[in-house]
Every structure is written in structure tokens, then in C-alpha cells.
Amino acid sequence: MFECAPLLACVRLLRQRHEAVAAERPEPDLERNLTTLRLTEAFLERAEAGARQPGLPLQVAVIGPTQSGKSTLVNLLLDREAARVSPLAGYTVHPQGFAVGGPDFGDGELQAYFHGYHRLALVELPRDDYRCYSLENVVAPAFEFPGAVIWDTPDFDSVSAREYAAGVLRTVALADVVILVMSKDKYADQTVWDTMKLIEPLRQRTLLCLNKIDPDTEAVLLRSLGEKWREHRAGPMPPVVCLPYRRGSDAGRVSSRAALIDSLRLVWPSRPGDEREGGARDLARRHWDDWLAPVRREHQAEASWNVAVDAVLNDAVAVYRRDYLDHPQHFHSFQRALAELLVLLELPGVGNAMALARRAVTWPFRQLGRLARGQRKTELDGQEAAILAGIASHSLIRANEIALLRSAEQTGVRGWWVDLAAELRMLRASGLPEFAQSCERYQRDFTIEIEATARSLLERLREHPAARNGLRATRLTADAAAVAVALHSGGIGLQDFIIAPATLALTSLMTEGVIGRYLRRAEQELKQRQLETVEALLAAALAEPLRRLPRRMAGSSARFAIAPAELEVGAALLQ
């Protein structure tokens, strides 16, 4: 037995999202998809209803264009005036079922099948509410196929047909037998053959009825009808019954009914629903690519957006390298490491006055060490923070430009890119507070790397006692110079006196000494670690929020927002 529930769930999801998107963005391809999705969903639901109640009565749907005589044909089949007839076009706008064969005609399953529709008595059906249907038990002793429900349906070709098309599709999907009624004026209409092409995969037993035919034109019409069938449908042509234009006399009516019943007998199935499994698969296979085309366009747009975010991230990293790491006046991290080395180079025998002065001068660096132990905050690199803030702002501007450019280029998903640009504007307006917090957290955490570099330099110096003693002497001079700068400037800020005079002397001596090569390598290693850390920061705090923007758009009614994984089950069932 074909398990249709997974495929039904997939089709239902596609139908719901198509309806939501089409309501915001009416487009011909979406409307076409909705027609086939509604038909497929109803057909699968009919298969489920048949599985729940195997003895569900056989269903016959009488369909056709306007003024073809569908209601009259229903009454002819039942041999009684059951369906309401009117000379006005479009008089029938609801599915109207007539059950033959007693009170137990599976009305429970049929009510479940027509979910979302109100079941009303035939005389109570409103003209302005198309989400209604009627289902009535009728006594028709002359109908020789008991245990069946005959459905009179609205037309599918009038100006108003679009409004009640869903009810027509649901009734057609319900049918085990389809009777297509055409008049001599309508049999060649394209809407007739589009409909027959549409329902071809359902493999329903079909009877063609040429109604209101003059005897002298019957042969010509039958020949033309055969050509139309071969043009639009595969397989042999089904039986055709021709009914005369006037059947006023009792004899004419009896003759017409007998011809109709004889033809219906040729297509009447012995067991309803036997071919629904193959029909469901064929119908879904035929339209699967069309259904997924707009969804895949969204997937492709998101993939294109992720590529754009990668480009924005790469540019941001390149700007950071150029404007901070490789900039001789902006890169302070290694200088801070050397300043930390000053703190670590303890010189024995220094007088109390100079020791106190050194404590005052090196106070900011001592706070750097204390930060690693969680005692208090350290001074952060304001120049680096400003550069990172500028990178974030520039990246958002560039991302917005990309979205607007793509909206002009990719017209099939223009709305997707326009909505993305709107999300970007809101992100820019927020000022990226989370990004600023992440940058501050990074600077504090990276202090540990700076201290580690200072300790590695100290370890290398311990391997060269003479160089270490020389540096200790230089450190004393640097302390004195730093005190002078501090007294002159009236402050002891990091940029004012430590990085400039103190570390300059230290760097010069180490560069010229035996560990100069190690010093340069330590600087490059610190740069590389800082580059990798900032690259991770930008990926997490800047690129990732940009990648999440399509998910923020998922709540929009104009988005399909269906993940590829959600379609894998349906695709697997169609293999």
C-alpha cells in the first residue's frame, strides 16, 4: 500500500507557502502552481480517505465549461430533477453531491475530505460564499449503479471561475469517474483541453459527452474531438456519447438517458481507487520542478548572499590587516608586550626612590597583569577599537549595496533582496551594540596573548645572561625617562610615556643584540595570532549576523522559507 502521508505533508506545505506568497505577490507561475498543488493535495487526501474507509462509495464528477449542460446531465443520469438548472451562465458555483443507495454513503469521510468547507442543504447554498458544498441522499431507482455519489460542479472557464476553482479541483480529485460535458460551441475551447491535460496523471475513468448536438454535424464533431484528444492526451480515446440538442419528448429523453447509461457502463470501475497510488506519484512528478522553482530561487538567493557575506568578511579582514596590523603607527600590541617585559625585568639594588618612581610609571602595565588574574580592567587600545568600528560600518554599507544591486539583477527574487536590504538598514540603525561588546571582550581577552609574548621574551633572555643584564640597565634608564615624560605631560597614560620612550630604548637594544631575530619572529607570531583572533571575531560578530538575516525574513508572508531538508522526503518518494 502506498504511504502517501509524507508526500501529502510536503505538498501541503508547498501549497500553504504558495498561497501566502501569491497573496502578497500575485504572479502567473504561482497561480499555475497553486492549481496543481491543490489538485495533488486533494487527490492524496482522497487516497487517505479511501484507505480509512475502503467501502467509500464510488464518486462521479460531472465537469465542463459554462452552459455545457452539466446540471441537466446530472438530472438525466438520476432520472429526476435533483440538480438546480438555470439558463443563466455560472449558476452553479458550489460542488453539489447526490448520493444514491441509502443513507450510509460515507458522508463522514466526505465531510473530512471537504475540510474548510461548510456543508449546507442544496437550497441554502449562498451565492457569495464559495467555501460551501451540499451532499444529499437521493432516491433514484432508475439509476443502475447504486452506492455512488454524483457530483454537479461549477464551470472552469468563466470569468468568475477563479474564485471557486478550488472547489472544482477538490471535486475532480475526489472522482473515480469523470464525465466531461461539452457543447458544440465549447468542445474546442483551450480551457477544456488544459483541464483534461491537467487531470491526465490521475488515471481516472473518463466519459466524454457531446451535448446539444445536431445529428447532421455529429460525425464532423466526433472527428474533430478525436484530433483534440490525441493532441492533448496520451492513450486511447475514451467512449463518447452524443446527446441531441432537443430532448423535449419523453421518448427523446429516454433515448438520451439510455445512450448515456450505456456509455457510462463502459467506464464504470469494478473497484474504485485501484489506480490512485500511481496517479498520485505521476501527478507530483509532473509538477515537482515547477513547484520547487520559486523555492529554489530563494535557496539560490540565500546561497548568493552567503557568498557576498564571505566577500565582505574577506574585505574586512584585509582592511584590518592594512590599517592596523601592518600600519607602523597603529599596531601597538607588540609594544605593549615589550612594556610588559619591562615589568618582568626586575633589577636588584635599585634605591627606594627609583623603585617608587618605577611603580608609578609601570602602573598601567601592572594592571595588564592583574587583568589576567581577574582583579580589574585594563586600558584598551582605542585606535584598534576605532578601526574595528569603522570596518563594521563600512561592511554593512557594502552589504546593503550588494543587496540593492542583486534586487535589480535577479528579478525573479527581487522582493527577497529588497526585504534583505530593509533588514540591513535596521541592522545599521541599531548601531551594532553586540559587535562593540564583542570587540571590547576580544581586546580584554587578547591581553593574555600579549603577556604570553612578554614571558616568552623573558625566557629567551634568561638563556643570555649578559643581554639580560644589559637590558636591566636600559630598563632603569627607561624608567627615569618615563618619569620625566610623565612629570612633563601631567599624566601616566599608556600612549603618552611607556610605549614611546621606554619601549623604544628596549626595542633598539634587543634588535641589535643576540635575540634580535627571535624578537622579530615573536612580533610576527603575535601579529598572526591577533589576525586569526580578529578574523574569528569578525566572522562571529559581523558575518554571522549578516548570514542570519534571511532567517529573520522567514516570518514574512512573502517568503517561502522552506529549507532544502524539508523537501527531501517528498523528493525521495518520487524517485
Side-chain angles (χ1 to χ4, degrees):
M1 180 66 186
F2 172 54
E3 178 57 47
C4 63
L7 181 58
L8 175 58
C10 190
V11 170
R12 183 172 290 147
L13 174 64
L14 285 167
R15 188 266 305 165
Q16 290 170 344
R17 297 311 303 151
H18 269 78
E19 284 182 342
V21 174
E24 295 288 331
R25 195 178 71 234
E27 295 176 0
D29 61 334
L30 298 181
E31 293 295 334
R32 286 191 297 269
N33 283 351
L34 268 175
T35 296
T36 54
L37 281 165
R38 286 167 177 158
L39 180 65
T40 308
E41 180 183 15
F43 193 70
L44 289 166
E45 289 178 353
R46 170 63 175 87
E48 282 200 330
R52 288 191 299 265
Q53 185 175 337
L56 194 66
L58 192 138
Q59 310 289 320
V60 180
V62 179
I63 67 172
T66 184
Q67 289 290 283
S68 59
K70 298 181 294 295
S71 300
T72 300
L73 188 83
V74 169
N75 291 336
L76 188 63
L77 273 173
L78 299 175
D79 198 25
R80 58 166 296 168
E81 298 300 315
R84 293 186 294 178
V85 178
S86 171
L88 299 176
Y91 181 73
T92 301
V93 294
H94 307 93
Q96 300 173 14
F98 304 97
V100 184
D104 184 14
F105 49 80
D107 56 337
E109 284 296 341
L110 290 177
Q111 287 193 59
Y113 175 78
F114 279 98
H115 57 84
Y117 288 75
H118 302 290
R119 179 181 173 184
L120 300 172
L122 182 61
V123 295
E124 296 175 351
L125 291 173
R127 296 294 303 176
D128 56 350
D129 184 0
Y130 302 119
R131 304 292 289 185
C132 302
Y133 75 102
S134 68
L135 178 58
E136 298 187 350
N137 192 21
V138 298
V139 179
F143 187 69
E144 62 180 73
F145 307 102
V149 180
I150 312 300
W151 291 91
D152 188 14
T153 64
D155 64 85
F156 49 66
D157 68 330
S158 65
V159 175
S160 303
R162 183 176 177 274
E163 300 176 9
Y164 44 74
V168 178
L169 291 171
R170 183 155 287 270
T171 309
V172 171
L174 176 65
D176 300 290
V177 177
V178 170
I179 302 177
L180 173 64
V181 186
M182 302 161 285
S183 66
K184 65 178 181 180
D185 300 323
K186 292 283 189 175
Y187 82 95
D189 281 7
Q190 190 59 42
T191 53
V192 171
W193 297 104
D194 287 344
T195 302
M196 295 309 292
K197 185 69 175 177
L198 172 66
I199 67 175
E200 181 180 16
L202 304 187
R203 306 183 185 181
Q204 295 159 314
R205 304 296 183 91
T206 303
L207 173 64
L208 305 182
C209 178
L210 278 174
N211 197 19
K212 308 177 184 179
I213 302 301
D214 294 325
D216 55 348
T217 62
E218 181 175 321
V220 175
L221 292 176
L222 284 174
R223 186 165 55 251
S224 178
L225 184 64
E227 293 172 356
K228 286 289 184 181
W229 180 270
R230 289 187 293 273
E231 181 182 348
H232 293 88
R233 291 282 294 258
M237 185 172 174
V240 182
V241 57
C242 294
L243 300 179
Y245 184 72
R246 298 184 183 278
R247 298 185 294 270
S249 66
D250 290 340
R253 180 180 177 84
V254 169
S255 174
S256 295
R257 186 174 186 279
L260 180 59
I261 293 297
D262 288 343
S263 299
L264 184 58
R265 192 179 294 115
L266 296 175
V267 299
W268 199 264
S270 58
R271 291 174 53 190
D274 284 350
E275 298 179 339
R276 289 191 176 273
E277 173 181 342
R281 291 177 186 272
D282 289 350
L283 186 60
R285 282 194 193 103
R286 176 172 292 189
H287 301 289
W288 187 256
D289 288 340
D290 291 334
W291 295 341
L292 265 59
V295 182
R296 285 171 175 154
R297 284 197 292 268
E298 279 194 4
H299 293 166
Q300 291 165 359
E302 186 167 357
S304 175
W305 170 243
N306 286 331
V307 171
V309 172
D310 288 340
V312 169
L313 175 61
N314 291 337
D315 286 351
V317 172
V319 170
Y320 175 78
R321 183 198 291 268
R322 182 196 68 200
D323 291 353
Y324 184 73
L325 293 180
D326 295 340
H327 198 288
Q329 297 177 356
H330 293 165
F331 180 62
H332 298 151
S333 298
F334 192 68
Q335 293 172 324
R336 290 172 63 189
L338 293 179
E340 179 65 21
L341 181 60
L342 286 175
V343 178
L344 298 175
L345 283 170
E346 292 297 335
L347 180 63
V350 179
N352 291 335
M354 185 57 68
L356 291 173
R358 184 165 63 250
R359 287 194 189 96
V361 172
T362 60
W363 175 83
F365 300 108
R366 294 182 187 278
Q367 305 317 307
L368 290 173
R370 289 175 181 174
L371 174 63
R373 298 186 295 272
Q375 294 187 11
R376 63 179 300 167
K377 294 182 179 180
T378 186
E379 182 180 351
L380 302 180
D381 190 336
Q383 184 66 46
E384 183 188 25
I387 289 172
L388 288 172
I391 287 173
S393 178
H394 175 75
S395 297
L396 291 181
I397 292 173
R398 177 152 187 251
N400 189 70
E401 291 173 348
I402 291 173
L404 292 176
L405 180 63
R406 299 284 167 82
S407 70
E409 295 174 344
Q410 302 180 9
T411 55
V413 281
R414 181 179 182 277
W416 192 94
W417 289 106
V418 170
D419 288 351
L420 186 71
E423 292 287 347
L424 279 165
R425 287 193 294 272
M426 287 190 287
L427 191 63
R428 287 181 59 195
S430 70
L432 290 175
E434 294 182 1
F435 180 80
Q437 294 167 7
S438 297
C439 289
E440 183 177 347
R441 187 163 52 250
Y442 138 72
Q443 285 194 319
R444 296 192 188 286
D445 292 344
F446 198 75
T447 301
I448 297 175
E449 294 290 338
I450 293 174
E451 293 176 348
T453 299
R455 286 193 295 273
S456 69
L457 290 172
L458 182 63
E459 290 298 321
R460 179 62 58 147
L461 285 172
R462 284 173 179 167
E463 299 174 4
H464 303 277
R468 183 179 61 182
N469 292 334
L471 287 172
R472 277 179 170 166
T474 302
R475 179 186 182 282
L476 180 62
T477 305
D479 282 344
V483 170
V485 174
L487 293 174
H488 177 73
S489 63
I492 54 173
L494 178 67
Q495 305 294 329
D496 290 333
F497 59 89
I498 295 297
I499 289 180
T503 61
L504 180 61
L506 183 65
T507 303
S508 298
L509 185 60
M510 292 181 71
T511 302
E512 296 167 1
V514 294
I515 63 170
R517 189 163 49 189
Y518 180 79
L519 179 72
R520 289 189 292 273
R521 186 166 74 246
E523 180 180 9
Q524 291 304 315
E525 289 176 351
L526 181 63
K527 268 188 181 183
Q528 183 60 33
R529 290 198 299 274
Q530 191 158 10
L531 174 64
E532 292 171 357
T533 304
V534 170
E535 189 170 3
L537 163 72
L538 293 173
L542 180 61
E544 187 56 32
L546 292 177
R547 294 187 202 281
R548 288 198 300 265
L549 288 180
R551 277 169 257 165
R552 289 173 54 175
M553 294 158 49
S556 168
S557 58
R559 301 277 76 77
F560 284 93
I562 301 176
E566 295 182 84
L567 303 174
E568 290 178 359
V569 173
L573 287 171
L574 300 180
Q575 295 301 317

